[in-house]
Amino acid sequence: MTKAAEEQSQPPTPGSPGPAAPASTSTDTVTPPPGAPVRAFPGESGKPTAEPHKRLPRVESLTGLRWWAAFFVFCHHMTNLAPLPIFDFLKYGTSGVTFFFVLSGFVLTWSAQPGTKVRTFYRRRFARIWPAHMVALVAAIFVFYRFDPPDGMWWIKPVSMTVIILSVFLLHGWSNDPNILYGGNPASWTLSVEAFFYAYFPFVHRATARLKVAGGLMLCAAVILVGGAYRLVLFHYKDVVPVLPQPILHSVAFLFGIGLAIALRTGWKPRIPVWFAFLVTAGGLFLLWYSGSHPTKIPFAITMSLTQKEELTLLYGFLILAVASRDTRGGRSLLRSRPMVALGKWSYAFYLVHATILYAIKEKHGVAGPIGWSNLTWYAGVCAISIFAAWLLYKFVEHPLERKLRGPR
């Protein structure tokens, strides 16, 4: 999940001359990105460029927006415990991770600071995601693993030290075997994807430092076209074309976010009403659901289904662009309210723990009951417990250890 945005809302650690770079992953608030080319990564001397660095406006609404993406993922997982009549639509809650990948690319680019060394960037990324990941992983092992798994509980797997070790080092996302990909804490496969993004971001950032509005938008268009073309070719030539691992497949969303941030920080100021962006996003999700449920009634329904990830990237990118653009103009936003920002800060921890809590309850209680709106009470209860657990994880692990491990600039 993306955490870069959140980092932007936090003050720099002692000894740091400027705002902290945001954290993404899954999971990231935004103090943000430069409007000038930044020489801050590979092979740099650490000196600022000739062009003076301009502090960009904060886009903290993205922190509040991040909470709703995490909540959408939660709603999808809750269908395994307490299904609602719209459970078929809620499967699109999994697309919340696509939102986080786009947001990660956007926030890391928007928040990049001149003079940041590669090793400093890597240390900050590690400090941001790994401590909370490890604590959540330990808790998840007790829920998702047994030496002798009980019958009828498909989510409980035999103990595999290989899988758990791969999960510890965030390497499990490179396997398409579900037992490995969703090994350890099942939610952490996205962190494996994010770790890959972090590994190459400094080099992409340096390579795109001179791009302006047109270059950023061309990058967005290029990755969407390449990603969509790959999906279609894979469908038609599945015996020839290899299935790429998740970190590479999801790079489309990450690079798209980078392109959007480049365009916005170098002068593009689209005036997109945020209500309209929400309407377009909701309409797009409904269209994807309807075309999948009634493929004969929608033209190109099969193509839409095959290129769904790219379409979701466009939808969520449009929403992020509208919200960030409004913040740069100083527009009012409920997403920047104190409750929303707090939930956004806890959203990474919420994402890590909610499935563990949900399946622990399911093991003890079983499925809540038949499909029905009465199951909303379960949503409220499990959500409240998960938020409380997320707050504890954020307050006592994620936030303090992140500050301690970040170190000086």
Side-chain angles (χ1 to χ4, degrees):
M1 188 171 217
T2 231
K3 289 200 79 259
E6 173 184 330
E7 186 173 274
Q8 297 177 278
S9 65
Q10 299 173 351
T13 53
S16 173
S24 154
T25 249
S26 209
T27 18
D28 302 80
T29 332
V30 197
T31 298
V38 235
R39 278 183 61 213
F41 286 115
E44 293 186 348
S45 64
K47 297 178 181 179
T49 57
E51 194 171 343
H53 171 60
K54 294 188 286 185
R55 179 179 297 238
L56 299 180
R58 304 173 77 90
V59 285
E60 289 183 323
S61 292
L62 294 181
T63 304
L65 190 60
R66 202 175 73 186
W67 157 254
W68 291 112
F71 182 72
F72 198 19
V73 176
F74 166 81
C75 289
H76 161 67
H77 288 153
M78 276 296 295
T79 60
N80 293 294
L81 174 65
L84 298 177
I86 57 170
F87 73 92
D88 198 37
F89 173 77
L90 289 179
K91 70 181 181 181
Y92 285 94
T94 58
S95 70
V97 299
T98 299
F99 170 90
F100 285 118
F101 294 149
V102 178
L103 181 64
S104 181
F106 182 93
V107 171
L108 287 177
T109 304
W110 183 260
S111 308
Q113 299 294 319
T116 303
K117 297 177 181 178
V118 177
R119 64 176 179 271
T120 301
F121 173 81
Y122 288 156
R123 185 180 66 245
R124 289 177 175 177
R125 295 299 95 208
F126 173 84
R128 171 57 74 188
I129 68 170
W130 201 78
H133 157 62
M134 274 306 300
V135 173
L137 172 61
V138 171
I141 288 172
F142 288 98
V143 172
F144 294 107
Y145 286 91
R146 298 285 192 285
F147 286 104
D148 185 20
D151 294 332
M153 296 185 181
W154 54 266
W155 62 91
I156 301 178
K157 301 176 284 290
V159 173
S160 169
M161 292 307 300
T162 299
V163 172
I164 292 173
I165 290 172
L166 287 173
S167 180
V168 167
F169 292 101
L170 299 179
L171 297 173
H172 53 311
W174 288 91
S175 173
N176 287 321
D177 179 348
N179 291 321
I180 299 176
L181 178 62
Y182 304 117
N185 180 358
S188 68
W189 73 271
T190 61
L191 303 188
S192 185
V193 173
E194 285 280 356
F196 179 60
F197 296 164
Y198 297 159
Y200 70 71
F201 174 76
F203 305 96
V204 172
H205 183 70
R206 182 175 177 84
T208 58
R210 296 186 180 278
L211 294 182
K212 301 297 182 181
V213 176
L217 295 179
M218 288 176 64
L219 174 60
C220 290
V223 295
I224 289 293
L225 289 174
V226 170
Y230 168 77
R231 305 275 185 183
L232 295 175
V233 170
L234 178 63
F235 175 74
H236 291 289
Y237 302 98
K238 58 187 69 175
D239 295 332
V240 178
V241 179
V243 178
L244 298 175
Q246 298 300 315
I248 295 177
L249 290 175
H250 287 288
S251 286
V252 169
F254 183 69
L255 293 171
F256 188 88
I258 291 175
L260 282 183
I262 290 172
L264 192 64
R265 78 180 190 182
T266 54
W268 192 34
K269 294 293 183 287
R271 291 185 171 271
I272 306 169
V274 173
W275 65 265
F276 176 71
F278 272 106
L279 185 64
V280 169
T281 303
L285 288 170
F286 177 80
L287 181 60
L288 285 173
W289 166 77
Y290 190 82
S291 64
S293 301
H294 307 84
T296 59
K297 297 183 178 180
I298 301 293
F300 305 107
I302 300 300
T303 300
M304 290 175 61
S305 176
L306 294 173
T307 58
Q308 185 178 114
K309 287 290 189 294
E310 286 67 39
E311 292 151 26
L312 290 167
T313 296
L314 285 169
L315 288 174
Y316 289 135
F318 183 66
L319 180 59
I320 289 169
L321 177 65
V323 170
S325 181
R326 179 182 61 184
D327 274 17
T328 62
R329 298 193 305 270
R332 301 177 66 180
S333 172
L334 289 175
L335 292 170
R336 289 201 305 270
S337 65
R338 185 170 296 180
M340 280 290 93
V341 170
L343 287 171
K345 287 181 178 181
W346 306 338
S347 63
Y348 172 53
F350 178 85
Y351 173 79
L352 289 178
V353 303
H354 77 270
T356 299
I357 292 170
L358 183 160
Y359 281 101
I361 293 172
K362 184 174 180 178
E363 180 180 356
K364 300 300 182 185
H365 184 276
V367 176
I371 298 172
W373 291 111
S374 61
N375 285 332
L376 282 172
T377 57
W378 282 87
Y379 278 70
V382 177
C383 186
I385 295 170
S386 298
I387 289 174
F388 179 68
W391 172 77
L392 290 175
L393 183 58
Y394 175 82
K395 182 174 178 62
F396 296 106
V397 178
E398 178 189 344
H399 186 56
L401 290 183
E402 185 270 336
R403 288 175 65 86
K404 184 174 182 178
L405 294 173
R406 280 175 62 87
R409 184 184 177 89

